[in-house]
Each structure stands twice: as structure tokens, then as C-alpha cells.
Amino acid sequence: MALVIFPFKEEEPEVLLRNVEVALDHPRVSEVLCVGASEDRCFDATSAEAPKLTKSYGKPVKVMVQERIGGLRPGKGDGMNTALKYLLEETDHERIHFYDADIVSFSEEWITKAEEAADEGYQVVRHYFPRSSTDAMITWMITRTGFALLWPRSVLPWIEQPLGGELLLTRGAAEELFSDPRVRRQSDWGIDTLYTFSMVAHGLSISEIYIDVGKLHKLYGALTDLKAMLIECFSALQSLKDEPVPEGTKHCIEYPGPVRQEMKEKVGYDLERSLQLLRTGWSDRQAELLELFPRPVREGMLACREYPRFSFMDEDTWAEVYSVLLDHFDPGDDDWRELLFKLWLTRVLQYTTTVALRGYDYAMHYLHRMVARYVHRSLTGSSAA
Ligand code: DGY
């Protein structure tokens, strides 16, 4: 039987409570735990309902505030790790499911498909779903790129949504992850990177299941909304760069279905407001740090102080920039943080205007081929056609 977790922070209580009921209704689920970042309005509303739900479904519903487990900014990582600790120390459930609390399209299918893949013997099941071609820009430009460049022989580059927060772990897999000090330390947005990394590093078998309705969560305004997440996801990856990962672990991906027109037409972020960000927040020190980068990058970035430029940041240039960042980026340094953000912004804008503009199917094919080319580059030292 399974424990279902909803980590949350300032969510709409109605959405979370509806999702809790969907989980309670499922025959495989025997307990639901909501882990809040703090005692916010959602925490109070959910705590007030929990005893009634426990009574009407005859299954425990608990609400708790996340513990301080890690060593970085207290965030989603502490929430997810609090749930693993609860599973291992307070219960004997055989499986744990994680779902983001804000999914408005959550249904019993999410649980059933995950349970079925676990019944087949997989130790980890990851949900994936269609996303707009200009969404997931940290996933593609930071995480999948980094996994391809750093661990090209492992399954890491091929994991569809390595930052996804919807997954199932068997109790054994949860034990492996929670006993990994790198995972426990990662209290911030880097947690998804760490879970993905650690499951592959420990050789766990992974099944990725496709949920065609997707998450239908709201998209972003200017890309500044993603700044903290970007920095924490890159730092997490950088902290792992010298760690070994085995080759050839068991991994299967369910073939995706047709994507709805609405998703294909969705624009992931506000282009005009994001362009503006390239001109602001410069310091002399950032200009000095640019000395570490290849000349076209240095010149292009400095020109951004006058007028937004980004056409220089193509796929190969980004790989060079990425390796400089891996060697030199300092997450504790504000100038480095700002520079990483701006460099990533130029990559996202270059991709948006030369690739995403050509349509959804072209863009998704490009992004998958891009990862394959980075794998090739890392294995052979040369770019693939
Ligand atoms: C990602 O890149 O996957 C983040 O969720 C932002 O979209």
C-alpha cells in the first residue's frame, strides 16, 4: 500500500484538498501527507479539513510543516526530504508517491499508472507530460544539457523531465535516496536534480510514464520569476560534476501521445519583459567576469548593456559557456548569480527566436536532438551534425 505526499507552499487550499480526496479515493492509497513550507493560509485550511477527511475515508490524512533537514536555503528540498523521513521512520508503507499540490488536472490515472509500472518491478516511476516549446527552459538548457555534457554514457540525459516533482519510489528506493548525504543537504529548488541524479547514481530502475493531460499549471511572466530556481538548479548540478554515475541502468520511457493544440500554441514566458532584463542589473565586476568567456560571448554580452543581443548564443557557444560556468560559477556571489541569469536568458531568447518560432513539432525535435548532440560532443570531443 502507498503513502501519497503533497508538498505545498501558499497554494489554493481548494485545489490541494480536491487532490487529497482524489488520492484518498484510490484503492492503493492508505495514507496522505501534506507537507507545508510554513503555517500559511493553505496550511490552516488543510489542517482544519484533515480530521473530517480521515473520518470519512477511514484513512489517515496528516498535515505537517517541513523539518529543517538540509544545509542550503530552506525550500522544496526540505519538504520532500521530510516526507521521505516520515515514510521511513513512522510508517511501513511499501511505496511513496509525490505530487505537486497545485495540479488542477490531477486524477486517479496518475496514481494507477505509477502503481502499474511499480507492479512491473520498477523501483522508480516518473510522470512526464507535454509542455509548451518555450516552457521548461531550465530543464532543457541547464539540466538536460548538463547531464549530457557531464554523464553522456548514463541514462541521465535521456530522462524526459528531470525536474519533475511527480514520482513514485518504492520503499527501498526511498531508503537509498534518503541515505545519500548529497540528497539530504539539498533543501532548495535543487532537490529535483538531486533525486534524479541520486536514483541513477544508485543504479535504480526507472520507468517514465506519460500523462497526456499534463499539469495545466500557470506559465511565467518575465523570466525573472525563474531566477532563483535557475541558480539553485545550476548550483546543484555544479556540486555534482565530479561524482561518478554508472552506465547502463534500466530505464524505459512510455511513448508520448498526440499533443493538444492548446499546448502547442502556449507561449511559455513574456518575451518583451524578458528582453528588457538583459539591459539591467549590470556591474563593473560582471564585465570583468566576462573575461573568462570566449570573445563573441564577452562582446555580445557587453553590448547588451546598450541593446538586447542574443543571436551569438547558439547551441555550441552555450556548451562552451556551460563549461566555463561549471569551473567558475560561485553561487554565493551576487555578480555571478546575475551573470548566470543573463547568459541563460540569451540562450533562451536565441532558441525562442530561431527554433521555437518555427513551430511546436520542429522545436521539440530540435530540443531532443540538441541533447543527443551534446552527448556526442562530450563522448567524441566534436559537434555532431
Ligand atoms: C523547468 O525548466 O522545467 C522549470 O519548471 C521552469 O519551466
Side-chain angles (χ1 to χ4, degrees):
M1 292 294 276
L3 168 66
V4 170
I5 308 296
F6 294 102
F8 69 94
K9 184 183 175 188
E10 290 159 14
E11 303 302 343
E12 282 307 321
E14 300 72 34
V15 177
L16 172 57
L17 285 165
R18 195 199 72 87
N19 292 343
V20 169
E21 289 208 57
V22 170
L24 287 169
D25 219 13
H26 198 287
R28 290 289 187 95
V29 174
S30 48
E31 180 172 355
V32 173
L33 171 65
C34 304
V35 184
S38 65
E39 292 191 22
D40 58 15
R41 188 178 73 91
C42 183
F43 182 93
D44 293 341
T46 314
S47 307
E49 288 302 310
K52 292 178 230 162
L53 291 171
T54 301
K55 199 156 173 241
S56 60
Y57 286 88
K59 300 175 181 181
V61 178
K62 296 194 179 136
V63 187
M64 61 164 73
V65 175
Q66 67 191 37
E67 282 181 41
R68 185 67 178 127
I69 295 176
L72 303 172
R73 184 186 63 79
K76 188 182 179 200
D78 275 344
M80 292 184 77
N81 286 335
T82 297
L84 287 189
K85 185 164 181 252
Y86 176 81
L87 169 83
L88 299 172
E89 293 181 0
E90 311 283 335
T91 79
D92 54 12
H93 302 302
E94 274 310 310
R95 293 173 185 170
I96 183 169
H97 295 236
F98 286 94
Y99 299 105
D100 281 358
D102 63 340
I103 312 174
V104 292
S105 48
F106 190 58
S107 72
E108 49 128 5
E109 186 202 2
W110 295 55
I111 300 175
T112 303
K113 282 190 89 167
E115 284 285 318
E116 283 173 1
D119 291 346
E120 291 164 22
Y122 288 96
Q123 294 162 292
V124 176
V125 187
R126 306 180 58 100
H127 301 70
Y128 84 101
F129 27 78
R131 298 185 72 180
S132 132
S133 64
T134 43
D135 188 14
M137 288 292 103
I138 302 176
T139 292
W140 287 110
M141 303 308 178
I142 299 292
T143 317
R144 293 193 68 169
T145 292
F147 282 169
L149 294 174
L150 288 166
W151 299 284
R153 289 198 196 278
S154 77
V155 302
L156 283 169
W158 310 113
I159 292 186
E160 272 294 325
Q161 282 163 8
L163 301 184
E166 288 71 36
L167 58 144
L168 172 155
L169 303 171
T170 59
R171 192 176 182 89
E175 270 161 5
E176 295 270 19
L177 259 55
F178 196 64
S179 65
D180 185 335
R182 300 168 297 192
V183 169
R184 283 204 308 274
R185 169 179 177 270
Q186 200 74 41
S187 46
D188 60 9
W189 284 121
I191 193 63
D192 303 304
T193 309
L194 262 290
Y195 273 30
T196 304
F197 175 85
S198 182
M199 57 186 66
V200 177
H202 286 99
L204 303 179
S205 54
I206 303 174
S207 168
E208 295 192 73
I209 53 174
Y210 184 72
I211 304 286
D212 67 357
V213 18
K215 258 174 74 168
L216 304 180
H217 69 133
K218 54 183 182 312
L219 294 183
Y220 310 95
L223 288 167
T224 23
D225 295 8
L226 293 176
K227 196 167 178 178
M229 191 190 283
L230 160 78
I231 290 163
E232 293 178 2
C233 288
F234 181 79
S235 312
L237 224 132
Q238 186 192 30
S239 74
L240 299 167
K241 71 181 167 80
D242 299 318
E243 302 284 317
V245 178
E247 295 174 20
T249 50
K250 192 168 170 199
H251 174 223
C252 79
I253 310 182
E254 182 183 351
Y255 191 75
V259 175
R260 279 168 305 134
Q261 197 57 24
E262 187 198 345
M263 180 64 71
K264 292 187 172 182
E265 289 173 4
K266 208 164 200 149
V267 181
Y269 65 91
D270 183 331
L271 185 79
E272 191 174 3
R273 282 172 60 208
S274 299
L275 272 178
Q276 199 44 33
L277 298 170
L278 280 179
R279 290 180 58 184
T280 54
W282 281 98
S283 68
D284 292 344
R285 171 107 192 302
Q286 287 168 43
E288 278 164 34
L289 294 175
L290 282 171
E291 295 291 330
L292 292 162
F293 293 87
R295 193 159 139 217
V297 175
R298 191 165 64 240
E299 291 179 354
M301 292 306 292
L302 289 176
C304 284
R305 294 181 297 185
E306 305 298 322
Y307 189 81
R309 301 282 161 84
F310 45 82
S311 59
F312 58 90
M313 196 61 91
D314 61 15
E315 182 179 311
D316 285 326
T317 305
W318 181 240
E320 290 172 43
V321 166
Y322 204 101
S323 82
V324 175
L325 288 167
L326 283 174
D327 287 342
H328 297 280
F329 177 72
D330 175 357
D333 180 328
D334 284 345
D335 284 310
W336 263 121
R337 293 160 69 91
E338 182 62 27
L339 196 56
L340 166 63
F341 175 64
K342 290 206 187 81
L343 288 162
W344 170 76
L345 207 53
T346 60
R347 177 68 188 121
V348 173
L349 291 165
Q350 194 275 352
Y351 156 81
T352 302
T353 50
T354 58
V355 179
L357 210 59
R358 300 189 187 193
Y360 178 86
D361 295 320
Y362 180 93
M364 294 322 287
H365 182 67
Y366 167 85
L367 288 168
H368 285 89
R369 288 294 310 147
M370 174 188 84
V371 170
R373 285 189 293 266
Y374 283 149
V375 164
H376 184 85
R377 177 187 179 105
S378 175
L379 291 175
T380 66
S382 65
S383 326

